[in-house]
Amino acid sequence: MRKSASNGIVQNGHKLMRQPVCTSKIEQSPCAENTLNPIRRLVDQLVINPNPDKNLLRLSIGDPSVFGNFNPPPQVLKAVSDNLATTCYGYVPAHGLVSTREAIAKYYNTRSSPLTSSDIYVTSGCSDALRIVMDCLGSEKRNILLPRPGFSLYETVAGNRGIPIKFYDLDPENDWEINLNQLDSLIDENTAAILVTNPSNPCGSAFSVQHQLDILAVAEKHGLPIIADEIYKDMVFEGESKSFGELSENVPVLSCGGLAKRWLVPGWRVGWIIVHDRHNRLSEVRGGLTRLCQVIIGSNVLIQGAVPQILETVPQSFYDDTLKRLKNASEIVYSELKDCPQIRPFKPKGAMYMMVQIKIEEFEDITDDMVFVEKLITEQSVFPLPANIFGIPNYVRLVLTVPEDILREACQRIVEFCQHHSVRVPRKKAKLTAS
Ligand SMILES: Cc1ncc(COP(=O)(O)O)c(C=O)c1O
C-alpha cells in the first residue's frame, strides 16, 4: 500500500478515496426492537451474587437435560444413529418428511379425531410451531388471547409480529383453571384465537376434561379456533391426559407439540403442529401454515427422520418412569415447604414445574418476588425464577427435574431463608439491642 499523489491511497493497484469516517448509529428495525423475551428482560435486571460459601443450586432452567438425571432412553439415541446411516442429506418438504408426518398422525390419531399426514406440519421445536401458528392467525388487527401466568414466548412472538394480546387469568385457588367469564368477556370481533397451555408451564397444572370442554364451549360460542400448546401432553401424574383436538367436535384446534419434554431432548429442535378441523374451516389456514414452513425449511432432517422409530420403539415404561420421578420430586418439594408459614407451595398435576406463593405480609424486608429471589441467591445460593416473568407477581417457579438431594437441600435453604426474614423474628431489633 502506498500514498498516491492525490487525496487517497493506492491498494493492489486500485485507487481508494479517503472518506470521512461515518460514526452515526445504524438503526435496528421495529421488528427487532419489539422482540422482547420477558425472561431475559427480568433476569438481566436481577442482581445475581451467590453466597461464595454455598454452591449455587439452580431451580430456574426448564431444561430436563441440565443435571444429567433425566436422559432420553436408548431407543431415542438408536433411532438417530440408525437414521444417520440412511438419512438423505438434502432438503425435504418444508413441512416435514412424509414418513415423519405419517408417524405423528398415527401416534396422535384418535377415533374422535382421525388424523392423516396432511394434518401434520413438522417444525423446528414447539417454539417454531407456536410462532408459525400465531403468525398464521394473528395480525396487527387480529388479537390473540393468552394465559396469565403463561409461557413468555407467546408475548415475544406477538411483540415481534405486532399482534395485539389480551390476557385471561388462571386462578391459583381453583387448580389454575381459566376464569371463563373473564375469557368470554375479553373476546371481541377482532379476536383471532384463544391460546391455551395444558399441562402448564409455569403452573404445573393440568385441566380436567370438563374444564377443557368448558373452554371449547367458549371458543365455539364465538366461532374461534384454539391454539393448544401441548408440549407437555401426556405428562400428567394421575388420571387421563386428553388433547383439545380429541375433545373438540366443532372447534378447530391447532395443537403444538414436540420431542423436547416428553422425550427429554430439548436441544434436538423437532416440533410439530397437529391440525384438528372436522368441518374444514381451516383450509386457507393450512395453506398459510405450509407457506410459513417454507420460510426456513424448518426441522433438521436427521432428527425428524428418526421420529417414526422413536414413536414406535420407546417403551411405555420409560414414560411411566419419567412421570413417577417427576411426581416424586413434586412430593418431596411439597412436603419440605408446606409447613413454612411464609410461603405456600401448589401441588403440581403435570409438566415439570411447581409454583410457590410468597406471602409478602409474612416477611419483614421482602417486597416482591424479584427481591425474594435476589436475596435468596445472595444469602443461600438458591435460584428459582421469579414468576413476574410469567405475568404473576409474588410467586416463584421451581423446576422439578433436579436431583433429589439438590431439591431437598434447596428446600431446606429456602425454609431457613424464610425463617430468617420472617416478620415473626424481631431480627433488626435484636441486632440494634446487641449493638
Ligand atoms: C409451554 C411451553 N411451550 C413451548 C416450549 C418450547 O418448546 P421447544 O423447546 O420444543 O421449542 C416450552 C419450553 O419450555 C414450554 O414450556
Side-chain angles (χ1 to χ4, degrees):
M1 192 192 297
R2 68 178 173 79
K3 278 210 165 133
S4 74
S6 63
N7 182 23
I9 52 174
V10 173
Q11 196 173 30
N12 299 334
H14 298 285
K15 190 172 163 196
L16 304 174
M17 290 313 292
R18 226 188 262 287
Q19 301 283 351
V21 176
C22 177
T23 55
S24 65
K25 291 269 182 289
I26 310 285
E27 270 183 37
Q28 62 172 330
S29 69
C31 166
E33 199 177 348
N34 293 326
T35 304
L36 296 171
N37 180 336
I39 296 198
R40 280 266 60 84
R41 195 177 55 208
L42 283 170
V43 170
D44 288 349
Q45 273 176 32
L46 274 181
V47 179
I48 300 179
N49 276 330
N51 180 341
D53 297 331
K54 297 183 184 227
N55 55 335
L56 181 62
L57 309 179
R58 283 184 189 272
L59 309 186
S60 54
I61 309 168
D63 177 347
S65 71
V66 167
F67 288 93
N69 55 330
F70 278 90
N71 290 313
Q75 293 82 359
V76 165
L77 307 181
K78 181 168 185 318
V80 175
S81 67
D82 288 355
N83 193 47
L84 184 59
T86 58
T87 194
C88 86
Y89 303 124
Y91 294 119
V92 299
H95 58 309
L97 286 157
V98 176
S99 53
T100 303
R101 288 187 279 125
E102 275 172 357
I104 296 168
K106 185 171 162 214
Y107 192 76
Y108 288 108
N109 187 61
T110 61
R111 198 137 36 98
S112 59
S113 182
L115 297 168
T116 70
S117 60
S118 59
D119 299 313
I120 311 297
Y121 300 77
V122 185
T123 59
S124 180
C126 182
S127 307
D128 190 38
L130 288 159
R131 181 184 63 80
I132 288 172
V133 170
M134 289 178 73
D135 231 358
C136 200
L137 296 177
S139 72
E140 285 177 5
K141 293 194 181 120
R142 310 262 300 140
N143 64 71
I144 295 182
L145 270 52
L146 300 181
R148 181 172 55 199
F151 183 50
S152 34
L153 174 81
Y154 314 140
E155 255 185 276
T156 308
V157 172
N160 172 274
R161 279 26 204 181
I163 302 171
I165 47 181
K166 295 187 187 188
F167 290 104
Y168 61 83
D169 292 313
L170 305 178
D171 182 1
E173 302 306 330
N174 202 8
D175 286 336
W176 300 100
E177 284 192 351
I178 297 176
N179 177 338
L180 293 170
N181 289 333
Q182 183 204 27
L183 179 72
D184 185 71
S185 71
L186 288 170
I187 295 169
D188 62 29
E189 71 277 14
N190 296 319
T191 301
I194 302 169
L195 190 153
V196 293
T197 317
N198 190 52
S200 163
N201 174 14
C203 306
S205 54
F207 294 146
S208 66
V209 167
Q210 185 56 53
H211 191 55
Q212 288 179 277
L213 292 171
D214 294 342
I215 297 164
L216 284 163
V218 175
E220 184 166 1
K221 177 178 154 193
H222 295 275
L224 290 176
I226 284 193
I227 303 170
D229 182 346
E230 296 183 324
I231 186 77
Y232 299 101
K233 162 100 177 68
D234 295 315
M235 298 184 73
V236 171
F237 303 154
E238 269 162 32
E240 52 190 349
S241 172
K242 295 266 186 201
S243 71
F244 275 87
E246 63 188 301
L247 292 174
S248 169
E249 277 186 25
N250 301 320
V251 175
V253 176
L254 296 115
S255 168
C256 300
L259 288 181
K261 307 293 170 159
R262 192 158 181 247
W263 288 271
L264 302 174
V265 284
W268 285 9
R269 313 311 299 139
V270 170
W272 47 74
I273 303 161
I274 304 175
V275 176
H276 302 263
D277 181 28
R278 295 199 208 176
H279 303 291
N280 204 23
R281 291 184 59 207
L282 296 176
S283 50
E284 277 188 21
V285 169
R286 286 171 191 267
L289 295 176
T290 307
R291 285 191 297 280
L292 287 165
C293 285
Q294 285 162 352
V295 175
I296 62 156
I297 319 186
S299 169
N300 85 74
V301 177
L302 175 61
I303 309 293
Q304 70 160 298
V307 165
Q309 195 174 320
I310 290 175
L311 298 183
E312 220 167 80
T313 57
V314 172
Q316 186 58 37
S317 55
F318 164 74
Y319 305 118
D320 294 345
D321 181 60
T322 307
L323 287 184
K324 203 170 116 197
R325 292 170 60 213
L326 285 170
K327 182 168 183 255
N328 183 45
S330 77
E331 282 164 358
I332 290 172
V333 176
Y334 187 80
S335 71
E336 292 277 347
L337 299 184
K338 74 178 188 331
D339 296 325
C340 178
Q342 292 79 26
I343 52 177
R344 176 180 169 202
F346 284 71
K347 250 191 191 161
K349 291 191 170 171
M352 40 181 69
Y353 312 97
M354 182 174 210
M355 286 285 255
V356 178
Q357 186 181 21
I358 303 158
K359 300 184 197 166
I360 295 296
E361 69 285 0
E362 291 288 334
F363 287 93
E364 190 176 83
D365 52 352
I366 305 276
T367 45
D368 62 30
D369 51 332
M370 297 288 280
V371 175
F372 180 93
V373 170
E374 271 179 9
K375 284 188 190 280
L376 186 63
I377 295 171
T378 310
E379 293 171 26
Q380 296 288 351
S381 293
V382 177
F383 188 0
L385 266 195
N388 231 314
I389 285 165
F390 305 107
I392 189 169
N394 301 336
Y395 283 78
V396 289
R397 187 200 73 176
L398 310 183
V399 168
L400 297 172
T401 50
V402 175
E404 245 183 80
D405 53 333
I406 299 183
L407 272 184
R408 282 188 199 281
E409 170 77 28
C411 288
Q412 282 153 19
R413 291 194 204 171
I414 291 173
V415 170
E416 190 184 318
F417 174 84
C418 290
Q419 283 165 353
H420 184 65
H421 289 271
S422 165
V423 277
R424 296 158 199 242
V425 179
R427 212 164 32 95
K428 282 188 183 147
K429 276 189 212 133
K431 248 192 200 167
L432 279 175
T433 327
S435 62

